[in-house]
Amino acid sequence: MHATATPVDTEIESAEHTDTAQNVDLSEMPSLDGGDAPRCECDHGTETEYIPCGRRARWRVSIDCQCGEGHPRVVEILCSRCLRTLRRNNDREAITARRL
């Protein structure tokens, strides 16, 4: 019996060969597994440039949009100061913080 490709198989094969053209510098990503303490990734840059806060992160923060349009959950690693600012600027019910 010959196997025929289903539409799902074709989509997977085409997705595997897709070049996203996105380069990620792993040294800029926060490390949570031992070694150095994770650093706050809150953006303190300009509109065109990302500059992370860099303080020692103490919180894993989940932000759920409450607007009703189904925006995805955002997870950030933050220091206490940036968490306080986030809570002041956003609805507290949409923010869940857990210690690292």
Side-chain angles (χ1 to χ4, degrees):
M1 183 180 270
H2 297 326
T4 57
T6 63
V8 174
D9 293 335
T10 307
E11 290 174 17
I12 292 171
E13 288 175 11
S14 64
E16 289 175 355
H17 300 291
T18 302
D19 185 12
T20 60
Q22 181 179 10
N23 294 326
V24 177
D25 184 4
L26 298 178
S27 66
E28 294 179 2
M29 296 184 75
S31 172
L32 298 177
D33 53 325
D36 296 336
R39 298 289 165 195
C40 180
E41 49 187 41
C42 183
D43 188 6
H44 288 256
T46 62
E47 289 181 17
T48 58
E49 185 178 29
Y50 170 73
I51 301 173
C53 169
R55 290 187 200 94
R56 182 167 183 220
R58 299 193 184 273
W59 303 97
R60 179 183 180 274
V61 181
S62 300
I63 306 164
D64 292 310
C65 183
Q66 299 293 316
C67 77
E69 293 194 17
H71 295 113
R73 172 180 289 165
V74 176
V75 178
E76 295 184 357
I77 307 297
L78 300 178
C79 65
S80 295
R81 183 183 293 179
C82 291
L83 174 60
R84 186 171 45 246
T85 302
L86 180 71
R87 282 193 166 147
R88 189 174 342 131
N89 294 338
N90 292 332
D91 183 15
R92 285 181 182 257
E93 297 171 343
I95 298 171
T96 304
R98 293 185 175 87
R99 266 201 181 278
L100 290 176

